[in-house]
Amino acid sequence: MWRILRVCSSAKTRLFKSLDSRHLVTAHDIETFQTQGVVCLRGAFREWVEKLKKGIATNHANPSNDRGEWIKSEDSQTFYFNDYFNWRRIPEFEEFVRLSPAAEIAGKLMKSEFAVFFHEHVFIKDPGTTRGTPWHQDQPYYPVNGRKNCSLWLPVTPVSKDSCLKYVGGSHKWGKWFIPRKFASSKNYNLIDDSNTNSKQEAFEAIPDIDGEPDKYELFSWDLEPGDCIAFHMLTVHGAKQTSDISGRQVIATRWLGEDATFANRPWETAPSFPLGLKPGDAYYTSDSFPVMWRSGQDSECTDDKTW
């Protein structure tokens, strides 16, 4: 099915590439991503905002049976909604994954041979919602090992710097893996089996108190317009204090993996938690469930003073 779609959509792909003002990833963007673990890409997906809004509305109205989650705000009247792994049933998401420059951007930021699509994740805050995001890394939540990975966090509504996620520069290179935290309570995940890991790489520990000593860290955040994007490594520590989003917020994040990404057990329930048809150590690109959406060499080359 996927190969048929790829062949049939080749002409449409060329059309979309000519119509959108594709964000050309610069050598500086790549270096920033590699050294800081996070980079802001302005206007990367401006032409996709309305289509993604439609897909997000569909997801919100028809969430998945076991992954859709509503977290109450302190006033018990507003909610923080999130859901993921719905791209195959929501046409706007599948079109974005296959035809937008997301795969190319992620692949080049990762310095990867190719970009494998892992999943998408929708986040919606009702207007007036007060809900913080605990400091965390993404990768410990996932059954994924490997250094080549990238999340693209794309708002389709304006996001102020005050309410934007904050990212700890360089934290993806700390050599530390932190225990995941529940968004509803900010408490650490409970261990199911502390022997259920693949290697000594994952010596999980409690995350440090970033808010208690903010001057110790280089923190990045931005004012964002719809179509801007924050690209970050899945081991980059990020979070946000409790703030009131007066106008609400709608975001879709897409997760991408490189050739070194392999399936991994974790000592807690992972996201996704359903069977993926992979054994520990299996490369994600070998699974039909995780298609390769871009390969190195398909487009132009990069130099120090030019874009890819």
Side-chain angles (χ1 to χ4, degrees), residues 35-277:
T35 58
Q36 298 291 357
V38 60
V39 62
C40 181
L41 307 176
R42 296 293 185 186
F45 300 102
R46 190 175 294 118
E47 288 79 8
W48 287 89
V49 168
E50 293 307 314
K51 187 175 291 290
L52 289 173
K53 279 185 176 180
K54 183 178 178 181
I56 289 171
T58 299
N59 194 169
H60 194 211
N62 301 278
S64 60
N65 292 331
D66 55 346
R67 297 181 300 280
E69 179 183 34
W70 282 264
I71 302 174
K72 286 185 178 181
S73 189
E74 286 184 337
D75 61 11
S76 299
Q77 296 179 351
T78 56
F79 289 86
Y80 170 64
F81 169 82
N82 75 94
D83 196 6
Y84 65 98
F85 222 112
N86 296 293
W87 70 281
R88 291 188 184 275
R89 69 179 182 88
I90 298 178
E92 292 81 10
F93 291 172
E94 182 165 13
E95 192 171 339
F96 176 80
V97 170
R98 295 193 186 280
L99 301 181
S100 82
E104 181 184 347
I105 288 172
K108 289 173 176 176
L109 291 175
M110 295 186 293
K111 293 186 176 180
S112 182
E113 293 181 19
F114 46 78
V116 177
F117 185 62
F118 186 36
H119 66 70
E120 93 299 333
H121 202 153
V122 165
F123 304 92
I124 300 175
K125 284 187 174 183
D126 290 341
T129 298
T130 56
R131 168 61 59 179
T133 300
W135 291 101
H136 67 285
Q137 300 165 314
D138 282 354
Q139 196 164 353
Y141 290 84
Y142 305 146
V144 176
N145 278 350
R147 287 293 304 177
K148 293 185 179 182
N149 60 64
C150 178
S151 290
L152 301 179
W153 195 86
L154 194 173
V156 298
T157 55
V159 176
S160 70
K161 186 173 182 179
D162 287 341
S163 62
C164 182
L165 290 169
K166 291 179 173 54
Y167 298 83
V168 182
S171 53
H172 66 309
K173 292 186 173 183
W174 286 353
K176 295 179 180 292
W177 290 63
F178 298 114
I179 301 170
R181 303 171 74 186
K182 296 182 181 295
F183 279 33
S185 66
S186 295
K187 293 182 179 179
N188 287 347
Y189 271 34
N190 293 322
L191 292 179
I192 297 174
D193 179 1
D194 60 9
S195 66
N196 192 23
T197 57
N198 295 330
S199 71
K200 294 181 180 179
Q201 170 185 337
E202 308 92 356
F204 294 101
E205 57 188 87
I207 201 160
D209 182 10
I210 308 293
D211 290 326
E213 299 180 285
D215 293 340
K216 288 181 58 177
Y217 307 99
E218 187 174 13
L219 301 179
F220 293 92
S221 61
W222 297 268
D223 289 312
L224 302 172
E225 293 298 321
D228 291 346
C229 173
I230 298 174
F232 62 97
H233 193 280
M234 293 180 187
L235 285 179
T236 299
V237 174
H238 55 289
K241 290 183 177 181
Q242 188 178 73
T243 58
S244 177
D245 283 335
I246 297 174
S247 300
R249 178 196 299 174
Q250 296 184 23
V251 173
I252 181 168
T254 54
R255 322 290 190 187
W256 302 88
L257 307 175
E259 66 271 10
D260 69 340
T262 58
F263 180 80
N265 286 325
R266 296 284 183 250
W268 39 69
E269 184 175 321
T270 57
S273 59
F274 50 82
L276 301 178

Side-chain angles (χ1 to χ4, degrees), residues 294-308:
W294 172 86
R295 292 182 182 275
S296 178
Q298 287 183 190
D299 299 279
S300 57
E301 297 296 324
C302 177
T303 64
D304 287 342
D305 59 349
K306 296 182 179 180
T307 56
W308 285 60

